[in-house]
Amino acid sequence: MQARINGIDMFYEESGAGIPILWVHGFPLDHSMWKPQLDGLVDCARNIAPDLRGFGRSEVPPGSSGMDLFADDLRALIDYLKLEQVVLAGLSMGGYIAMAFARRYPARLRGLMLIDTRAGADSPEAAQARRDNAARVRAEGVAPIAEPMLAKLLSATTRTQQPALAQALRDMLYSAPPMGVANALTGLADRPDSLLGLAAVAVPTLVVVGSDDEITPPADARRIAAAILHARLVEIPQAGHMANWEQPEAFNQAAREFLARLTHAEP
Ligand code: MLT
């Protein structure tokens, strides 16, 4: 489906009925990374999975895509869908965006899921590397960032036991629009530290991490969970940076339990 929001055309996919969950993809991916949730949680949630600006089938507008701008797009999508509140679920960059959203629009949150993500900003060196990569991607396409990422995104177990999944991920990375990727890289480089702000998160929060996540390891998830009042942490064995995709049954089980607690209004 297509929505005109915040000055851009945004694509999103929907499934199911129930409590609305907005699933926010990681970098440099698209809504299709949420297929196991779009298919597997139809009985308990209204799943909404957008392509962020610059990715998938959404418009690729010029200019840096900062985390606040992505968050504003999501607020506009929620308005468009006439939803008062949502559960916001973000993986990695999607998590950085969810934390920006929580700062800007706390009243629109029913709950948070922060998945394989971190609260810290980039070091000056990491931020510079992102800006250098943005220039390379504009000139050469996505290959310079795709190969190093592909080597780290999935756990060793997933790489050996689920080769089709690894191939699907490769296809997703290589289909990302270079200009959208470069715009997100500069936005990622500029993002602020979110850790202190997490103390203000008042909604129930589920923090999920793959035990073998090399990009945002379990220590990052523990830091987030410790900073949020009503947070629960679930570590998913044999999963890397894409816990929802690599171990969908364990992930969906954790999501179901979280939603059950939410709808029974327990903290
Ligand atoms: C992601 O998966 O969204 C990225 O690894 C985030 C990042 O590069 O910091």
Side-chain angles (χ1 to χ4, degrees), residues 3-217:
R4 182 81 194 158
I5 51 102
N6 212 15
I8 60 161
D9 288 324
M10 175 174 268
F11 174 87
Y12 64 99
E13 199 162 306
E14 269 208 64
S15 74
I19 186 167
I21 309 182
L22 193 55
W23 297 99
V24 187
H25 63 78
F27 168 90
L29 305 171
D30 62 51
H31 79 279
S32 63
M33 62 156 283
W34 298 114
K35 185 167 170 34
Q37 287 65 51
L38 286 161
D39 292 347
L41 296 173
V42 278
D43 57 314
C44 61
R46 177 178 176 190
N47 301 286
I48 305 152
D51 285 336
L52 294 166
R53 65 169 60 218
F55 293 97
R57 286 188 251 169
S58 287
E59 193 175 328
V60 187
S64 180
S65 299
M67 302 305 110
D68 286 355
L69 181 57
F70 282 132
D72 289 355
D73 289 347
L74 295 179
R75 212 261 356 247
L77 180 64
I78 294 169
D79 288 346
Y80 173 89
L81 295 169
K82 299 192 171 28
L83 296 168
E84 197 56 46
Q85 289 189 322
V86 293
V87 175
L88 193 52
L91 182 137
S92 201
M93 180 179 80
Y96 311 158
I97 297 167
M99 289 182 249
F101 187 102
R103 256 192 319 270
R104 290 165 86 72
Y105 309 113
R108 308 301 296 274
L109 282 180
R110 175 92 184 268
L112 265 181
M113 289 191 219
L114 299 171
I115 308 149
D116 292 299
T117 191
R118 68 162 82 82
D122 284 352
S123 66
E125 298 74 26
Q128 189 52 47
R130 293 218 204 246
R131 292 191 188 97
D132 295 345
N133 276 337
R136 286 190 71 191
V137 168
R138 282 183 213 285
E140 300 167 36
V142 295
I145 59 137
E147 290 307 324
M149 278 203 84
L150 281 165
K152 288 198 283 187
L153 275 169
L154 303 175
S155 70
T157 314
T158 306
R159 281 199 298 268
T160 49
Q161 292 182 3
Q162 304 189 71
L165 203 150
Q167 183 59 46
L169 190 61
R170 168 172 289 272
D171 294 344
M172 207 191 301
L173 257 88
Y174 273 94
S175 67
M179 189 165 108
V181 170
N183 292 344
L185 278 167
T186 55
L188 284 164
D190 293 337
R191 77 185 193 286
D193 192 294
S194 291
L195 194 63
L196 285 178
L198 293 181
V201 172
V203 290
T205 301
L206 177 67
V207 182
V208 182
V209 65
S211 59
D212 305 339
D213 185 342
E214 286 182 50
I215 298 177
T216 49

